[in-house]
Amino acid sequence: MPRRPAPRLSALSLALLLALLVAVTGSVVTGATAGAAGATGAMGAPASRADVSMRLGDTGWRVRELQSRLHQLGLHSEVVTSRFDQETRAGVATFQRRRGWAADGVVDERTWRAILSRTTEPTREALHNVYTPGRPLLERGDTGMRVRQLQARLRQLRWYDARVTGRYDATTDEAVQGFQAKRRIPVTGQVDRRTLDRLRAMTREPTRAELFNLVPSGPRLDPRCTTGRAMCVDKTSRSLRWVVDGVVLKTVEVRFGSAELPTREGAFAVFRKSRDHVSSLYDTPMPYAMFFSGGQAVHYSPDFAANGYDGASHGCVNVRDRAAVAWLFDRVRLGDKVIVYRS
């Protein structure tokens, strides 16, 4: 049987087929090219993609951008580095915790997308720790309590060694410049918001003694007594000093327990007060009792008033001036410190 020739495509069919192939091939090529461009990012931008994964110990430019964005959210200091350190991890964990997520401090895709949506693209200056001075809040010529607080905080960091005067003079200006230079803050000698925030973060609230150059009188105060509210009990001088913010407001004579029943030494806090207390163990009166360690308390002692140091307590801190301990009882609050030490 003779073979029949294969059917030939008409010119129109061939043209249609060729156009279809071009369209399909062009679409595939275009899609592949776009995918490659999306993976690379414009100019190799470091951290604008959602597939970022960062954790403790990582390094690189992406970490700098993360830290800068966390700073915008108040979760990182203004100074950025290339190291994913504990501060960075804590900032990420706080961001996650606020949203009810697992606060593991690891930047996964969801965390990164959320950070991106709540921040703006960091500037080149922010990424390279290049700062511009802010509006001065304090500067040379200013006076008052805010200047005293500034000087006292600078003293805590040993940038300022002069007396606290409340006058923003050349010495204060020089101290501020030194502090700024150390922290890579624009060195102006003026206190802007950035300088003040950094200084406050590194120091504690100045005490009244620090603000007004007050020197405690009498035996050396334990350092634990120089801040806050404390009954400072010195076994060496046999004294109790009521100290508020480093200022001694009242001093009374006291006696302690015997060698068999010693008064405990250390840092305690008042956990109970009893104005007309009677000891259930020894059946003796303990007026104005302020308990700080188990059954040991600061209180008035009629025996101490009558016999002085010819005797001892059962471990308590005895006071023989009734009026003084009553004055003290009315001022001491639950939670106030009790420091028992030897000078």
Side-chain angles (χ1 to χ4, degrees):
M1 186 173 178
R3 298 179 59 187
R4 299 178 60 183
R8 295 182 180 180
L9 293 174
S10 67
L12 180 59
S13 299
L14 186 59
L16 290 174
L17 179 60
L18 189 58
L20 180 61
L21 286 173
V22 170
V24 172
T25 304
S27 174
V28 172
V29 171
T30 302
T33 303
T40 303
M43 297 292 291
S48 59
R49 308 185 308 275
D51 60 347
V52 172
S53 176
M54 287 176 280
R55 65 185 64 239
L56 186 66
D58 285 352
T59 59
W61 190 262
R62 296 184 307 167
V63 177
R64 297 182 79 90
E65 180 175 347
L66 168 66
Q67 292 170 337
S68 185
R69 290 181 182 273
L70 288 173
H71 171 67
Q72 294 179 35
L73 299 169
L75 298 174
H76 195 277
S77 67
E78 194 170 17
V79 177
V80 301
T81 67
S82 297
R83 299 181 302 277
F84 196 120
D85 54 13
Q86 290 291 349
E87 181 187 5
T88 309
R89 183 182 184 279
V92 173
T94 300
F95 180 83
Q96 294 168 326
R97 190 177 301 111
R98 288 175 179 175
R99 282 147 190 83
W101 303 344
D104 57 6
V106 175
V107 179
D108 56 11
E109 181 177 341
R110 179 174 66 169
T111 301
W112 181 243
R113 285 185 181 276
I115 291 174
L116 284 179
S117 69
R118 289 162 176 81
T119 56
T120 60
E121 189 73 21
T123 64
R124 184 179 185 281
E125 289 75 14
L127 292 172
H128 289 86
N129 299 309
V130 178
Y131 309 132
T132 56
R135 180 177 64 84
L137 304 176
L138 291 170
E139 57 188 336
R140 189 184 295 201
D142 288 345
T143 60
M145 180 57 70
R146 295 176 66 200
V147 179
R148 283 186 177 274
Q149 292 172 340
L150 168 67
Q151 293 170 332
R153 288 182 184 273
L154 288 169
R155 276 182 66 91
Q156 292 178 21
L157 299 176
R158 299 186 178 179
W159 280 109
Y160 181 82
D161 297 323
R163 286 176 60 83
V164 173
T165 62
R167 295 187 300 275
Y168 204 124
D169 54 13
T171 303
T172 308
D173 189 298
E174 182 180 352
V176 170
Q177 289 189 45
F179 176 81
Q180 291 171 327
K182 180 74 172 180
R183 273 96 203 153
R184 292 185 289 180
I185 296 171
V187 180
T188 63
Q190 300 171 326
V191 178
D192 59 3
R193 173 55 57 188
R194 180 187 291 112
T195 303
L196 187 59
D197 287 347
R198 196 75 55 80
L199 181 61
R200 284 176 172 171
M202 297 179 64
T203 56
R204 54 172 170 73
E205 191 70 25
T207 66
R208 187 170 182 273
E210 290 173 326
L211 291 172
F212 296 97
N213 309 292
L214 301 177
V215 179
S217 60
R220 179 185 64 84
L221 277 175
D222 187 286
R224 294 170 293 184
C225 296
T226 58
T227 59
R229 300 161 55 87
M231 286 193 284
C232 197
V233 182
D234 182 359
K235 283 188 171 182
T236 303
S237 64
R238 296 192 291 193
S239 66
L240 182 156
R241 283 172 284 181
W242 173 237
V243 187
V244 178
D245 291 335
V247 180
V248 178
L249 301 180
K250 176 73 74 174
T251 302
V252 295
E253 295 178 331
V254 292
R255 74 176 182 182
F256 308 101
S258 63
E260 292 75 23
L261 296 170
T263 302
R264 303 181 188 98
E265 297 177 19
F268 310 95
V270 176
F271 65 88
R272 181 188 176 196
K273 293 174 63 178
S274 178
R275 186 178 296 273
D276 299 307
H277 192 78
V278 176
S279 171
S280 59
L281 184 60
Y282 300 105
D283 195 28
T284 56
M286 297 170 55
Y288 307 107
M290 294 167 278
F291 291 90
F292 61 88
S293 177
Q296 295 191 356
V298 175
H299 66 86
Y300 172 69
S301 168
D303 181 74
F304 184 29
N307 301 307
Y309 291 101
D310 186 17
S313 73
H314 295 101
C316 288
V317 178
N318 289 167
V319 181
R320 60 179 168 187
D321 185 334
R322 187 184 184 96
V325 75
W327 180 93
L328 191 60
F329 184 90
D330 289 337
R331 286 158 179 79
V332 171
R333 307 168 186 164
L334 296 182
D336 284 347
K337 293 185 290 186
V338 180
I339 308 297
V340 184
Y341 73 108
R342 297 179 186 273
S343 61

